[in-house]
Amino acid sequence: MNPDVMFFFETVISGLMAGVMYALVALGFVLIFKASGVFNFAQGVLALFAALTLTGVMEKFGLPAWAGIIVTILVMIAVAWLVERLVLRHLVNQEPIILFMATIGLAYVIEGTGDILWGSNVKVLDIGLPQGASDYLLDSFNLYVEKLEIVAAVTAALLVAVLAVFFQKTRIGRALRAVADDHQAALSVGISLRTIWVVVWSVAGIVALVAGIMWGTKSGVQFSLSLIALKALPVLILGGFTSIPGAIVGGLIIGVGEKIAEIYAGPIIGGAIENWFAYMLALAFLLFRPQGLFGEKIIERV
Amino acid sequence: MLYRETGQFKTSYPKDQAIFPIAQDKAFILLVLAVAFLAVPPFINDYYAKAILIPFLSYTMAAIGLNILVGYCGQISLGTGGFMAVGAFATYKLMTSFPGLDFALIVILAGFVTAGVGALFGLPSLRIKGFYLAVATLAAQFFLVWLFNKVGWFYNYSPTGQITAPPATSFGVLVTGPEASPAAGYLFCLAFVCVFALVAKNLTRGNIGRQWMAIRDMDIAAELVGVQPLKAKLSAFAVSSFFIGMAGALYFGVWLGAAEPTEAFGINISFLVLFMIIIGGLGSILGSFLGAAFMVLLPIVLKTVMVDGMGLQAVTAKHFEILLLGVLIIFFLIVEPHGLARLWSTVKEKLRLWPFPY
């Protein structure tokens, strides 16, 4: 095949894979926003903290990967519980911006705690995920695709499937949807808002752990990991804050758009446009569809 | 007893609408101004000017600007750092293109340039609102910083990509560059902040401010009673950016002297200023002052206590500082979501009855 076309395909595929990573972080945002209307700025730091904890417990106590992951999940549930207990419980009925600011504060707290506990140097995260290029695709199609990224894509797909079942079929999932629809109505039929918050923050914590593992394996566990949250934000506004499929599709669009723009438009206007291109893409899109791709159209009344 | 309105009669509408209708308030403000303008300058040294006073004043200017947008008009913005960069680079270009121009004029012109850019980035606010808008303003933040990094014209093609403030005078006194005296820089910033705080106060008290607040409280209802959202939102973006641009000019020109866009105007600055107005008090000019003072002093106090007092290592202290900052923000939001300005008005309420609480 024509090498230019091949190159284009590779760009698209690597964009798709990067998009999956963004989508993983965006998913955590969506879960929390959907169930409580809180715009959780700490999601990126949560991913960093999960990855730090995982490497920390594996190094310090010499645990195998599976045990480390279980310990980290328990830690993330504890974090969720603490967040509900110490922060959210006291901020019921406050304006959204106050809650948003509280999660920025939370981001600082979690980051500081993570640094104090495990140190701020770059760590290698290895839980035995496959590394390097996929030989099969390289040999038969001459496509360069990293194995890790395939794993990430499969994991993300599984995660979304599990979440969909969880939301649609289980008792607690129904409660979550009820809370998302209307806090007060949910409370009045006996759903405990506090339990819901703990559950949803725990789930977001576990999603953050998955994101943290993928990113950490790819590029080491370090502070910059929390900055991918900033990449997940345009994904969110593109997909809509309340939509799980939106997070996935938005992630893929942003991932591909960003890579194509960087490679084909970057050299013309000066390069390193990846930082803002996603935002501009999302912004331009919003001008035509203010609620995002899959967001709910809110009808306002006076 | 100390603080009472009883017996202070207002016999005309202008008196009733005064900024400080109560005599004690007026006296207190005049006292503060007198101290700031007359008593502080003789004792000022380089450390106080560069570490506390000038940062405090330039951040106050930025906080007033952001408060107009977020606190009064209810449009959340995370692009402050980018707009400060516009102000700083406009200052730099004006200073190098017109070396003889008075620095005060340059600061105001930089404000106008930023107002234009701000209104441009405010356009999406007509279609989108809330958190969608907050994220959209990040586009301004990243795009502007990238632009100033990439396009050589903005930094006069200097090899480092840095901008450095050349010496400039205002009314014959040197205020920028390494040769400027600390007191001159301080007084220059102080004068600017005082004048424009008054402007902001009056804007927010007047017709346009009421339109902003109507949009903030409920935009559809505001539209129904005749506020034009287009005019109100864009003017909020423009005025807010005007202040933030001037803040950027003071921040770069008088305080830093040299700046590199990614370092000096990163997203951290945006958050810092946002914290200032949240902790100080949303929708309050006084709150902008209090919040800026708090956020400038906090790291200095923490560092003194932890590194010098408790002998912690600088790295550990830094981690604790981040942690404590987060805790403080959450603490403030829980205990006093209306910020320090609210605490101050509570104090005034108490003083009104003091020493007899009933």
Side-chain angles (χ1 to χ4, degrees):
Chain A
M1 228 192 291
N2 187 339
D4 278 351
V5 178
M6 283 309 286
F7 182 66
F8 178 75
F9 272 122
E10 272 182 20
T11 314
V12 170
I13 288 175
S14 81
L16 283 175
M17 296 302 174
V20 170
M21 300 274 200
Y22 298 150
L24 275 177
V25 180
L27 207 54
F29 276 107
V30 170
L31 284 173
I32 289 179
F33 192 81
K34 210 171 151 62
S36 55
V38 178
F39 186 94
N40 176 26
F41 195 80
Q43 187 65 29
V45 183
L46 224 50
L48 169 70
F49 183 75
L52 270 178
T53 311
L54 182 56
T55 47
V57 293
M58 280 169 67
E59 258 173 43
K60 234 175 212 166
F61 309 114
L63 293 177
W66 60 269
I69 289 175
I70 290 174
V71 170
T72 314
I73 288 177
L74 292 178
V75 171
M76 296 317 281
I77 291 173
V79 169
W81 186 77
L82 282 175
V83 167
E84 196 279 327
R85 187 87 216 191
L86 299 177
V87 185
L88 295 177
R89 183 173 285 194
H90 305 283
L91 288 172
V92 180
N93 258 343
Q94 292 287 3
E95 287 167 49
I97 184 178
I98 301 286
L99 283 158
F100 168 62
M101 290 297 299
T103 63
I104 300 183
L106 197 63
Y108 279 62
V109 174
I110 295 175
E111 190 199 323
T113 315
D115 282 348
I116 291 168
L117 284 178
W118 314 111
S120 56
N121 47 332
V122 182
K123 288 173 200 63
V124 181
L125 176 60
D126 183 15
I127 59 163
L129 290 177
Q131 304 262 12
S134 157
D135 303 327
Y136 172 71
L137 287 175
L138 198 61
D139 291 344
S140 33
F141 302 99
N142 204 15
L143 274 174
Y144 182 89
V145 179
E146 293 226 8
K147 278 185 198 153
L148 176 67
E149 292 177 327
I150 299 172
V151 174
V154 173
T155 317
L158 277 177
L159 203 58
V160 172
V162 170
L163 284 175
V165 171
F166 176 69
F167 262 77
Q168 297 297 329
K169 302 286 177 196
T170 62
R171 214 178 129 77
I172 198 128
R174 246 193 326 270
L176 284 177
R177 278 184 292 147
V179 172
D181 259 6
D182 190 334
H183 283 192
Q184 297 226 316
L187 276 172
S188 68
V189 295
I191 295 168
S192 157
L193 208 54
R194 292 172 176 174
T195 321
I196 296 299
W197 272 344
V198 173
V199 168
V200 84
W201 276 75
S202 305
V203 174
I206 294 166
V207 173
L209 172 65
V210 175
I213 291 175
M214 298 306 168
W215 280 97
T217 313
K218 196 177 175 192
S219 50
V221 181
Q222 53 181 318
F223 174 70
S224 65
L225 206 151
S226 68
L227 297 180
I228 51 165
L230 293 177
K231 270 290 168 53
L233 294 178
V235 170
L236 279 177
I237 54 176
L238 192 67
F241 278 152
T242 49
S243 160
I244 291 179
I248 305 292
V249 176
L252 297 180
I253 295 177
I254 294 276
V256 174
E258 193 176 81
K259 281 280 182 305
I260 290 180
E262 179 68 50
I263 289 181
Y264 293 98
I268 306 167
I269 55 171
I273 61 173
E274 263 186 278
N275 273 337
W276 57 265
F277 179 78
Y279 283 94
M280 283 297 185
L281 187 68
L283 188 57
F285 185 78
L286 280 188
L287 290 177
F288 297 103
R289 215 183 139 79
Q291 71 272 31
L293 210 51
F294 295 96
E296 296 157 40
K297 197 168 177 83
I298 300 159
I299 298 163
E300 287 180 85
R301 291 189 187 87
V302 178
Chain B
M1 287 295 275
L2 277 178
Y3 184 90
R4 60 174 182 185
E5 297 146 271
T6 336
Q8 302 187 16
F9 299 111
K10 296 147 204 149
T11 46
S12 64
Y13 285 115
K15 268 190 196 164
D16 196 37
Q17 292 173 342
I19 298 190
F20 303 110
I22 302 165
Q24 286 92 337
D25 269 348
K26 215 182 283 179
F28 180 73
I29 289 289
L30 287 177
L31 183 74
V32 170
L33 284 179
V35 169
F37 273 102
L38 302 173
V40 175
F43 300 103
I44 211 165
N45 62 22
D46 223 30
Y47 174 75
Y48 284 126
K50 292 275 173 177
I52 298 172
L53 291 170
I54 295 178
F56 160 63
L57 290 169
S58 41
Y59 278 132
T60 301
M61 188 73 108
I64 293 174
L66 192 63
N67 223 335
I68 286 174
L69 191 61
V70 181
Y72 286 97
C73 197
Q75 313 289 311
I76 310 169
S77 163
L78 297 174
T80 322
F83 294 131
M84 278 173 79
V86 175
F89 276 81
T91 311
Y92 176 69
K93 282 310 279 186
L94 287 166
M95 281 169 99
T96 46
S97 314
F98 309 101
L101 218 55
D102 193 292
F103 189 61
L105 195 62
I106 291 182
V107 174
I108 292 173
L109 285 176
F112 278 113
V113 172
T114 319
V117 178
L120 193 67
F121 277 100
L123 283 174
S125 73
L126 304 172
R127 285 281 278 163
I128 55 181
K129 45 183 104 165
F131 292 121
Y132 283 93
L133 181 66
V135 177
T137 55
L138 279 174
Q141 167 73 47
F142 291 118
F143 176 72
L144 290 169
V145 168
W146 172 85
L147 188 72
F148 295 132
N149 255 329
K150 284 292 165 195
V151 181
W153 181 79
F154 288 112
Y155 50 88
N156 284 0
Y157 304 98
S158 78
T160 54
Q162 270 206 342
I163 51 172
T164 313
T169 57
S170 181
F171 299 103
V173 184
L174 192 67
V175 286
T176 68
E179 302 293 313
S181 83
Y186 162 73
L187 282 174
F188 181 81
C189 292
L190 184 66
F192 251 94
V193 170
C194 287
V195 169
F196 281 98
L198 192 67
V199 170
K201 184 81 193 167
N202 278 323
L203 273 177
T204 51
R205 273 155 29 100
N207 179 12
I208 188 80
R210 278 161 203 279
Q211 291 187 13
W212 292 338
M213 285 187 264
I215 291 282
R216 170 192 69 188
D217 292 340
M218 195 175 194
D219 50 356
I220 294 182
E223 200 173 343
L224 287 178
V225 296
V227 175
Q228 293 176 359
L230 176 86
K231 208 180 116 199
K233 285 183 181 174
L234 285 190
S235 64
F237 265 94
V239 173
S240 155
S241 309
F242 179 72
F243 279 81
I244 293 173
M246 289 194 300
L250 298 178
Y251 174 80
F252 155 71
V254 186
W255 179 24
L256 294 180
E260 197 270 317
T262 1
E263 279 288 309
F265 304 105
I267 188 163
N268 288 334
I269 297 289
S270 301
F271 283 131
L272 188 68
V273 181
L274 195 60
F275 290 154
M276 285 173 185
I277 63 170
I278 295 278
I279 287 179
L282 282 173
S284 153
I285 302 294
L286 172 72
S288 311
F289 280 87
L290 296 177
F294 186 84
M295 294 302 283
V296 167
L297 288 176
L298 180 72
I300 300 176
V301 172
L302 285 180
K303 190 165 175 289
T304 320
V305 171
M306 286 193 296
V307 178
D308 307 337
M310 289 154 55
L312 285 177
Q313 279 196 323
V315 182
T316 325
K318 191 80 204 157
H319 295 161
F320 268 109
E321 190 188 311
I322 295 173
L323 175 65
L324 270 176
L325 186 65
V327 171
L328 271 173
I329 289 164
I330 295 175
F331 177 79
F332 256 100
L333 289 172
I334 291 172
V335 178
E336 188 48 275
H338 298 286
L340 294 170
R342 181 57 180 273
L343 287 181
W344 172 240
S345 62
T346 314
V347 168
K348 289 209 297 193
E349 294 285 318
K350 300 265 182 224
L351 280 179
R352 184 179 294 177
L353 298 170
W354 188 85
F356 308 110
Y358 295 104

